[in-house]
Amino acid sequence: MKWFPKYNFILASKSPRRQQLLHSLGIEFTVRTKEVEEVWPDGLETEKIPVYLAELKALAFKEDLTDNELLITADTVVCLGNEVLGKPGSFDEACEMLQQLSGKEHQVITGVCLTSAHKQESFYSVTNVEFKTLTREEIEHYVTNFKPYDKAGAYGIQEWIGSIGISHIEGSFYNVMGLPIQKLYEYIQSF
């Protein structure tokens, strides 16, 4: 598209949701991934955690980028108060996370990093999400059938639990899916 800079775009994410969202912008891209340990320094403000992780993922590619490539990295965290909920490691952990979120408002924060061979820009987006009070049966049904082990906070807003459980959202829906595409669109245009 004529309003995007002329780069070969690279998305550094295995997430089918991020791939789908980037496709929706009309951008042609390739997917490349590298394993990066997602650990952040103690005391980092919650808004800065996903940006730090997105920049950490970009660092793994820095030496590989050519002049005509633009790398997109992202990370999403779910915050309940001051607690950061990562990806659940088991059925019980997923159920526990959803029980914690039940009947409460939490924040979903996605950090995005755009990196070329000569430049880097990062930003984040925050969405407030409120769940109704979920029953144990609803939680176990969701975890059993949707296996949300690759999702921060143990849920996907676009899945069954989002349809029946989310009572209020303030901010970008797509941010909760893992990529704030409206904001990304603006940043790519000005990169």
Side-chain angles (χ1 to χ4, degrees):
M1 292 188 180
K2 64 184 178 195
W3 49 79
F4 288 133
K6 296 208 180 316
Y7 284 107
N8 292 327
F9 290 91
I10 302 162
L11 177 64
S13 177
K14 295 178 200 169
S15 165
R17 294 162 303 280
R18 285 194 181 117
Q19 293 171 25
Q20 172 195 0
L21 291 172
L22 194 55
H23 270 299
S24 74
L25 288 183
I27 293 175
E28 290 187 25
F29 62 91
T30 57
V31 173
R32 289 190 215 157
T33 60
K34 292 189 179 192
E35 290 301 316
V36 174
E37 190 176 5
E38 297 180 16
V39 178
W40 59 88
D42 289 337
L44 199 59
E45 296 171 40
T46 53
E47 295 87 10
K48 293 182 180 174
I49 292 170
V51 171
Y52 177 88
L53 294 174
E55 290 175 351
L56 193 64
K57 291 175 182 179
L59 188 60
F61 289 88
K62 189 67 176 152
E63 299 302 316
D64 302 336
L65 294 175
T66 63
D67 285 343
N68 66 335
E69 292 179 323
L70 178 57
L71 177 73
I72 301 168
T73 55
D75 199 85
T76 301
V77 297
V78 170
C79 299
L80 183 61
N82 292 324
E83 185 180 359
V84 176
L85 303 179
K87 297 172 185 172
S90 66
F91 177 87
D92 290 339
E93 195 175 335
C95 290
E96 174 59 29
M97 281 185 189
L98 288 170
Q99 193 62 59
Q100 283 181 272
L101 296 173
S102 176
K104 298 185 187 98
E105 183 178 88
H106 63 277
Q107 287 70 46
V108 179
I109 309 168
T110 300
V112 179
C113 181
L114 301 176
T115 307
S116 71
H118 307 288
K119 183 177 174 184
Q120 186 173 72
E121 285 186 26
S122 300
F123 65 91
Y124 68 91
S125 180
V126 180
T127 304
N128 295 318
V129 180
E130 186 176 336
F131 269 106
K132 72 168 191 146
T133 300
L134 300 165
T135 67
R136 185 70 189 180
E137 186 179 35
E138 289 168 335
I139 290 171
E140 289 184 1
H141 169 80
Y142 174 68
V143 175
T144 298
N145 291 287
F146 291 87
K147 300 175 180 26
Y149 305 117
D150 64 336
K151 296 174 178 69
Y155 77 92
I157 192 171
Q158 72 282 3
E159 295 175 338
W160 182 81
I161 198 79
S163 300
I164 66 102
I166 292 177
S167 57
H168 183 78
I169 179 173
E170 185 180 324
S172 169
F173 174 87
Y174 298 111
N175 182 54
V176 184
M177 282 181 69
L179 200 61
I181 55 172
Q182 189 278 327
K183 205 167 183 179
L184 176 60
Y185 175 80
E186 302 289 335
Y187 268 82
I188 289 174
Q189 281 186 305
S190 64
F191 191 81

